[in-house]
Amino acid sequence: MDEQTDSTVLDEARAGNARALEMLLERHQAQVYRFGLKMCRDPEDAKDVLQDTLLAMARSVRDFRGASSISTWLYTIARSFCIKKRRRSTFAPARAPRSLDTDAATEARRKRAA
C-alpha cells in the first residue's frame, strides 16, 4: 500500500468524498481485524473492535491531523476499543479492587470508634 496514495485518499476523504472514505475503510479493515484478534484473542470481539474502529474513523476522519500514519491512528483507536472490551468482559471483576491501604485505614477507624 503506497503511503502517498493513502495520503491523497485521506485528503479526499477529509474533503467529504464518500468514495475516498470507503476506500480507506476497505484498505485497512483486514489489518485492524488482525490487530483486534491479537489483542482480544476472540474473533467476535475482534469483529466488534473492527466495527467500532471503522465507525470512529468515519466519524473523525476530518479531525485527523496526519501527525502519524493512518494505520498508526487506526491501531490506536482499535487498542482503545480492545481495552474497553476487556474491561467489560465477563472475566473482569464486577468492581475495582480496593486498595489495601484503604482497607487498613477503614479498619483502624472502626477500632477507634469501638
Side-chain angles (χ1 to χ4, degrees):
M1 196 172 312
D2 184 12
E3 188 62 39
Q4 181 60 35
T5 304
D6 260 0
S7 179
T8 303
V9 175
L10 176 63
D11 290 341
E12 290 177 20
R14 280 187 189 147
N17 182 333
R19 179 63 190 130
L21 177 60
E22 187 177 323
M23 192 181 308
L24 282 175
L25 296 173
E26 288 172 2
R27 280 184 185 182
H28 293 280
Q29 70 181 6
Q31 291 172 309
V32 172
Y33 175 76
R34 282 192 304 273
F35 179 79
L37 193 55
K38 277 186 171 183
M39 288 266 317
C40 297
R41 297 185 179 162
D42 178 59
E44 289 304 313
D45 287 348
K47 288 177 187 176
D48 290 344
V49 166
L50 171 64
Q51 183 177 11
D52 291 340
T53 301
L54 296 181
L55 282 170
M57 177 192 184
R59 289 180 182 144
S60 61
V61 70
R62 289 185 179 166
D63 299 329
F64 178 58
R65 295 174 299 186
S68 63
S69 70
I70 295 170
S71 59
T72 300
W73 177 52
L74 291 175
Y75 290 146
T76 302
I77 295 169
R79 180 179 175 272
S80 174
F81 283 119
C82 284
I83 290 169
K84 287 178 187 176
K85 180 140 304 274
R86 291 187 80 184
R87 284 185 186 148
R88 287 184 253 151
S89 80
T90 57
F91 300 109
R95 59 187 181 133
R98 296 186 316 202
S99 166
L100 293 177
D101 293 335
T102 304
D103 288 345
T106 302
E107 187 62 31
R109 277 187 292 234
R110 283 187 195 154
K111 286 181 181 179
R112 278 187 255 141

